[in-house]
Amino acid sequence: MKQSLINIVAFFLCFQVMSQSQFHVFPKNDKVNPGTPYGNGSIEKPWDLQTALNLKNNIVNTGDVIWMHAGIYTGHFVSNLKSGSLSNQITLSSFPGEWAVLNGNISKKGTVLTVKGDGITFKDFEITWLGNFSRKEGQKNFFRGDGINHLSGIDCKFINLVIHDNPGLGFGSWKSTGGTVIDNCLIFNNGFVSKNGKGRGEGIYVQNKSEALRIIKNNIIFNNYYKGIEVWSANKRADYNWVKNVSLINNIIFNSGNPLGAFKDNLIVATDDRNGINIAKNIKVIDNIFYHNADFSKNQIGGDAASLTLGFHSNAPIENTEVLGNIVIGRNNALRILYANSLSFKNNIVYSGYTHIFKPSLNDIKLKDWDFSNNIYYTKNSTPFIISKQKISFPDWKKILKLDLNSQHKRIKDFNLKPILDITRNEYKPNSYRVVLFDKFGEDIKVDFSKNNIPKNATYKIYDIENRKEVLKSGKITSDFMIHFPMNTNSFQKPLHNEKSQKTLNNFGVFIIDFETAQVKKRKGFLKRLFERLF
């Protein structure tokens, strides 16, 4: 009977993976069906996770799927998998309807998941530290622990991962990993307090020496101890270029540095190379939202809260960088353009005390290849730009530098945005949408889903991304397809072992809404009953 049920399960899964081989992994401590090094990858004799990650491609290869079944996998894991085809990848994923959690808290310094190898898709699981540990460097129970470090291997994909509360970097996407795609991941609450009391631990640290494009898109990154994303290298004496060819598209990055009450860049694009060789170049920043807490009802702008920084050292000005269609919100220094040779800055909205541009003189800027147009700048003063220490009015900016000829400058009291900033369907979970909303007074917002092909009989559940495990609101679609989103929310999943972090103000909200039809419910119920009988 058990074998018959297994065959039925395989029949259902073939619609997703067709003729691909399927293998199974269980935690070592699973009470019913523990994974071991001695299994064969069947559901009856599963592997443990590290055994599966060590397999050669004579066992696991092109198009195969390794299913991780529900449970907590404790340890530091290294993936050595390698696909024989970059276009038909090996997939490591939670089993449908289940959820795997990789827990790096083993009282030892190390990365939860280290990735080596080509053509692997990592999808639908969680990377974190659980239980008791310190987030203060120097304390007895502090151990630096990054979430993912992708060290080598090309054309890997990281999809729908939840990376949080690691006492270190969330995701390191390093220079020898060309063709990487990081898509629809949720990265938050990562980092620690260094010995000097400053926050450390970015959401994503990215480099790229390859000519292949690195794509980071549709992610939600917030509340990490240091910066949101660093497209960056701190090496001061480089002899080749490894920060290039990166596209950041449609990401939501907010309140970086918040766990220590000191806002840091949501994004920086730069290097610190003094040799002028490793220059950030061919970087595209398109349709992203960068936000730091600010009370717009009171025109709050005081305090340093950089949200986007372009360039860092005079010997390594960024080149061939495009910043298009973004929303940049911070306080003083929200936008910093420090050193840039060639920069296209178009169709952006900026809310800042002023825009800080570090250059010796106006004449120096005129020599550079800058193209600014169709931007809207909301600033505290009538002089929106500071070049070194010189304040520049908007008319002079346009007249002298020939920039932003068709752009606008407004005072911060006039700041407002449309209420619906973004609705993005998750292409890997077609009934799930990311919704980003804004109301300067924190009023609730109605969202029209009539153009999203939602069935009339669908029900929905709304989750506040800052309290993602609890349903904020549920209901059923009405005839007008309008859904009311509450902005005044207070529940907040603070970083583990942190008391300083504050929830995002009610003027800005990031939500996930999941739709479900009666047919979907019926199918899920059947599979659930099936596995209850199986196990």
Side-chain angles (χ1 to χ4, degrees):
M1 182 63 181
K2 186 175 181 180
Q3 185 59 50
S4 297
L5 292 173
I6 293 172
N7 292 337
I8 293 172
V9 173
F11 173 77
F12 276 100
L13 290 178
C14 77
F15 289 105
Q16 294 182 342
V17 294
M18 299 304 288
S19 61
Q20 302 158 355
S21 296
Q22 303 163 41
F23 303 99
H24 298 267
V25 169
F26 279 80
K28 289 181 179 180
N29 61 353
D30 188 274
K31 294 181 180 180
V32 177
N33 202 23
T36 73
Y38 312 108
N40 58 13
S42 69
I43 199 165
E44 292 179 314
K45 295 181 180 181
W47 292 309
D48 67 87
L49 179 56
Q50 189 56 62
T51 296
L53 294 176
N54 284 337
L55 293 170
K56 304 297 184 182
N57 58 14
N58 63 329
I59 300 174
V60 177
N61 205 339
T62 301
D64 291 348
V65 180
I66 300 174
W67 296 116
M68 294 188 293
H69 287 267
I72 297 173
Y73 297 76
T74 298
H76 297 159
F77 303 97
V78 179
S79 174
N80 296 298
L81 296 168
K82 185 174 183 178
S83 176
S85 169
L86 297 179
S87 60
N88 191 14
Q89 304 199 334
I90 296 171
T91 298
L92 177 71
S93 173
S94 292
F95 191 82
E98 301 186 20
W99 189 249
V101 178
L102 276 57
N103 166 36
N105 188 4
I106 57 173
S107 299
K108 181 180 179 182
K109 177 180 178 180
T111 300
V112 182
L113 177 62
T114 299
V115 175
K116 306 174 182 179
D118 305 328
I120 313 299
T121 294
F122 300 86
K123 183 180 178 184
D124 292 327
F125 59 91
E126 191 167 341
I127 302 98
T128 189
W129 275 46
L130 301 173
N132 293 320
F133 58 92
S134 173
R135 302 191 87 142
K136 293 184 178 180
E137 187 177 25
Q139 291 190 348
K140 184 177 180 180
N141 59 340
F142 171 81
F143 300 93
R144 167 74 185 263
D146 296 341
I148 295 178
N149 272 312
H150 186 194
L151 297 182
S152 61
I154 64 172
D155 286 20
C156 289
K157 298 179 181 179
F158 301 86
I159 296 169
N160 281 341
L161 300 179
V162 179
I163 306 169
H164 69 98
D165 285 292
N166 298 283
L169 172 67
F171 195 131
S173 185
W174 302 110
K175 56 188 176 184
S176 299
T177 56
T180 296
V181 175
I182 304 171
D183 192 357
N184 272 285
C185 292
L186 178 58
I187 304 173
F188 65 100
N189 291 357
N190 299 289
F192 63 95
V193 184
S194 65
K195 290 181 180 179
N196 63 7
K198 296 182 178 180
R200 292 289 180 266
E202 301 84 348
I204 299 178
Y205 195 127
V206 57
Q207 301 172 339
N208 187 21
K209 71 176 183 180
S210 169
E211 297 305 315
L213 190 62
R214 181 77 45 95
I215 299 175
I216 302 173
K217 64 176 183 174
N218 302 323
N219 302 287
I220 305 173
I221 302 170
F222 66 95
N223 215 40
N224 296 289
Y225 275 63
Y226 193 43
K227 300 185 179 185
I229 297 181
E230 286 198 287
V231 183
W232 168 259
S233 168
N235 188 301
K236 297 180 180 180
R237 294 289 179 260
D239 54 9
Y240 67 97
N241 182 214
W242 67 82
V243 181
K244 60 182 181 179
N245 304 328
V246 178
S247 287
L248 302 109
I249 304 169
N250 198 35
N251 300 286
I252 313 299
I253 311 175
F254 61 100
N255 285 344
S256 301
N258 181 41
L260 289 184
F263 292 123
K264 301 297 181 181
D265 284 300
N266 287 311
L267 171 66
I268 182 172
V269 177
T271 78
D272 196 19
D273 181 32
R274 313 301 168 84
N275 290 340
I277 295 174
N278 188 20
I279 293 173
K281 62 176 61 175
N282 301 330
I283 312 297
K284 298 183 186 298
V285 182
I286 301 173
D287 294 337
N288 303 280
I289 299 174
F290 308 110
Y291 169 95
H292 280 311
N293 274 344
D295 187 345
F296 306 108
S297 66
K298 298 179 180 179
N299 301 322
Q300 184 180 22
I301 206 68
D304 191 45
S307 202
L308 172 62
T309 295
L310 304 170
F312 183 78
H313 194 274
S314 59
N315 287 3
I318 62 173
E319 294 182 355
N320 194 26
T321 294
E322 298 181 4
V323 181
L324 311 174
N326 304 277
I327 297 174
V328 182
I329 296 174
R331 298 188 193 173
N332 286 332
N333 274 318
L335 173 62
R336 300 189 295 179
I337 306 173
L338 303 186
Y339 294 99
N341 276 345
S342 47
L343 173 62
S344 179
F345 192 86
K346 299 179 179 180
N347 303 310
N348 302 289
I349 298 173
V350 179
Y351 178 95
S352 181
Y354 47 82
T355 294
H356 187 170
I357 299 172
F358 192 79
K359 289 289 181 180
S361 69
L362 290 178
N363 290 330
D364 186 55
I365 289 182
K366 286 196 295 183
L367 299 175
K368 306 304 179 184
D369 183 13
W370 286 16
D371 184 6
F372 284 43
S373 65
N374 291 307
N375 302 298
I376 303 176
Y377 303 91
Y378 295 88
T379 67
K380 175 175 59 177
N381 300 317
S382 58
T383 52
F385 302 98
I386 295 180
I387 301 177
S388 293
K389 296 181 179 180
Q390 183 180 359
K391 294 181 179 180
I392 306 297
S393 70
F394 196 60
D396 284 347
W397 173 260
K398 295 164 67 172
K399 180 179 178 180
I400 299 173
L401 301 178
K402 309 300 182 186
L403 297 173
D404 280 313
L405 297 181
N406 56 352
S407 297
Q408 301 177 60
H409 171 241
K410 300 182 179 182
R411 303 298 292 270
I412 58 170
K413 65 182 179 63
D414 299 319
F415 176 74
N416 211 341
L417 296 171
K418 60 184 181 180
I420 302 170
L421 303 182
D422 170 76
I423 299 178
T424 296
R425 186 184 188 188
N426 188 329
E427 63 179 293
Y428 309 101
K429 297 172 63 178
N431 294 316
S432 184
Y433 292 79
R434 182 186 71 190
V435 180
V436 186
L437 304 176
F438 177 87
D439 184 275
K440 67 187 295 184
F441 299 107
E443 300 292 335
D444 294 350
I445 296 172
K446 287 186 177 181
V447 180
D448 183 359
F449 283 92
S450 61
K451 297 181 180 179
N452 296 90
N453 297 317
I454 308 298
K456 291 182 180 181
N457 62 345
T459 59
Y460 62 85
K461 293 179 180 178
I462 298 174
Y463 301 85
D464 180 353
I465 206 66
E466 294 180 89
N467 193 41
R468 66 185 183 89
K469 293 186 177 181
E470 295 184 12
V471 176
L472 176 64
K473 182 183 176 182
S474 60
K476 187 175 181 179
I477 285 287
T478 56
S479 58
D480 63 0
F481 288 89
M482 299 293 289
I483 297 179
H484 179 278
F485 281 74
M487 295 292 285
N488 188 14
T489 61
N490 297 313
S491 297
F492 177 42
Q493 183 183 343
K494 284 188 175 183
L496 284 176
H497 318 306
N498 176 288
E499 295 301 323
K500 289 186 177 181
S501 190
Q502 300 294 318
K503 191 180 189 309
T504 300
L505 297 180
N506 292 332
N507 53 46
F508 182 79
V510 183
F511 304 92
I512 300 295
I513 182 166
D514 293 331
F515 293 96
E516 215 171 44
T517 64
Q519 291 81 359
V520 172
K521 286 183 178 179
K522 184 176 180 180
R523 182 175 180 272
K524 285 186 176 179
F526 170 75
L527 287 177
K528 182 178 180 181
R529 292 193 300 273
L530 186 65
F531 277 96
E532 285 175 349
R533 293 181 64 189
L534 178 60
F535 296 115

